[in-house]
């Protein structure tokens, strides 16, 4: 049977991995939102250019710009949700780490107490 300390140690590792996953997803959503804004700006720039085909297909340009802005909005919302999950994962990780450190300190204290008792018992046995 695994000890509580070992289980908590594994749980800390899992919580840290989960937090890293959310941080990675958050960064991905922010990157995708920035790319969508960049695309919308580029389309607007082409739309305003004199040599552009936007005059022939204005609804196509407007739709692509609107889609890019909608993707930006969705990615920012997803990033906001991931930020909340990061905060939750951070809180859980901190809580599990504290429990792990408490158990580890208790185990060390109990081990040192047993060692002292063994030394006392050995000294009494030699007297």
């Amino acid at each position: 049977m695994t000890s509580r300390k070992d289980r908590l140690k594994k749980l800390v590792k899992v919580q840290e991995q989960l937090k890293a996953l959310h941080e990675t997803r958050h960064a991905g959503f922010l990157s995708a939102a920035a790319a969508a804004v960049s695309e919308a700006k580029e389309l607007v720039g082409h739309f305003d250019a004199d040599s552009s085909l936007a005059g022939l297909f204005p609804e196509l340009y407007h739709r692509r710009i609107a889609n890019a802005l909608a993707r930006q909005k969705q990615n920012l919302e997803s990033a906001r949700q991931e930020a909340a999950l990061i905060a939750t994962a951070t809180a859980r990780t901190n809580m599990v780490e504290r429990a792990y450190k408490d158990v580890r300190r208790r185990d060390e204290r109990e081990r040192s107490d047993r060692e002292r008792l063994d030394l006392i018992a050995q000294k009494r046995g030699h007297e």
Side-chain angles (χ1 to χ4, degrees):
M1 182 171 163
T2 60
S3 70
R4 176 173 165 78
K5 183 174 96 172
D6 294 336
R7 289 191 312 268
L8 284 170
K9 185 177 181 179
K10 289 177 185 176
L11 187 56
V12 166
K13 189 179 221 178
V14 169
Q15 286 296 104
E16 288 172 346
Q17 290 172 342
L18 184 61
K19 181 181 166 188
L21 170 73
H22 289 303
E23 288 171 342
T24 302
R25 288 178 47 114
H26 180 258
F29 287 130
L30 290 178
S31 177
V37 167
S38 177
E39 180 185 344
K41 286 179 181 178
E42 184 179 325
L43 288 169
V44 168
H46 288 309
F47 189 77
D48 292 338
D50 291 336
S51 63
S52 173
L53 295 175
L56 298 173
F57 307 104
E59 67 280 345
L60 179 64
Y61 274 80
H62 287 293
R63 186 177 25 188
R64 286 189 60 200
I65 292 168
N67 286 343
L69 294 176
R71 280 195 321 274
Q72 178 213 16
K73 183 178 178 182
Q74 178 58 44
N75 282 312
L76 288 176
E77 176 58 25
S78 296
R80 187 195 63 73
Q81 291 172 359
E82 285 298 323
L85 293 173
I86 290 169
T88 301
T90 300
R92 286 182 180 154
T93 301
N94 292 343
M95 182 178 64
V96 173
E97 281 178 341
R98 279 193 303 273
Y100 171 67
K101 288 176 183 176
D102 288 346
V103 168
R104 193 179 68 207
R105 277 193 296 268
R106 189 190 71 217
D107 284 354
E108 289 172 2
R109 205 170 34 250
E110 288 174 357
R111 185 172 24 88
S112 67
D113 289 349
R114 280 192 304 271
E115 288 172 358
R116 275 190 234 111
L117 288 173
D118 288 344
L119 285 173
I120 292 170
Q122 287 175 1
K123 285 185 178 182
R124 288 188 178 189
H126 286 93
E127 291 177 6

